[in-house]
Amino acid sequence: MKAWLIAVACACLAVGQGVAESDVAALAKAQEAHIAERRAAEKFPRAKARAELAQRQDYDRILARERARLLRSGLLTTPEAEALRAARKAKLEELKALDKQIAAACEKAPEIVELDAIREANAKRLEEIRNNLSPTAQGEQTPGQAGETKTE
């Protein structure tokens, strides 16, 4: 009798889904068939019940895992879900704008002002060193360069 009810439930699922069977319906159909097969392999009623109990507990874990996977996938859609996704996108853009404003406000922090002054002084010193090392910058030539021409 239970097998008949299971078959009817699967048939209703298949009819409800139309001609194409969804992944969920295929999973349910396969699991129900597996449970029925395992149950049929047992000889005694109590053993059949224990086997079905164990199989249904496994089935319940599989269904919970599948449910969580589907929810995380982002593939499911409803008008409410789409509205919430749009709201999330707007909030993310708002957060990015706030991050930029925070960074701009932090530009005035004493540590940043001091760091920028040190960087500027270091940049000036780098330029001085480059100028001192570059003989063409001051019109000087090193002894090895006298009479030589650069070819590029």
Side-chain angles (χ1 to χ4, degrees), residues 81-102:
E82 291 304 315
L84 292 170
R85 285 184 180 120
R88 178 181 61 192
K89 185 176 179 181
K91 295 265 187 212
L92 287 174
E93 293 298 322
E94 188 178 327
L95 285 174
K96 286 179 186 177
L98 283 173
D99 285 343
K100 288 178 183 177
Q101 289 175 352
I102 289 169

Side-chain angles (χ1 to χ4, degrees), residues 141-148:
Q141 291 184 351
T142 58
Q145 289 180 334
E148 295 180 5

Side-chain angles (χ1 to χ4, degrees), residues 105-120:
C106 288
E107 294 279 330
K108 299 172 189 164
E111 296 87 357
I112 296 296
V113 171
E114 182 181 9
L115 184 82
D116 286 346
I118 293 169
R119 285 183 68 213
E120 187 178 324

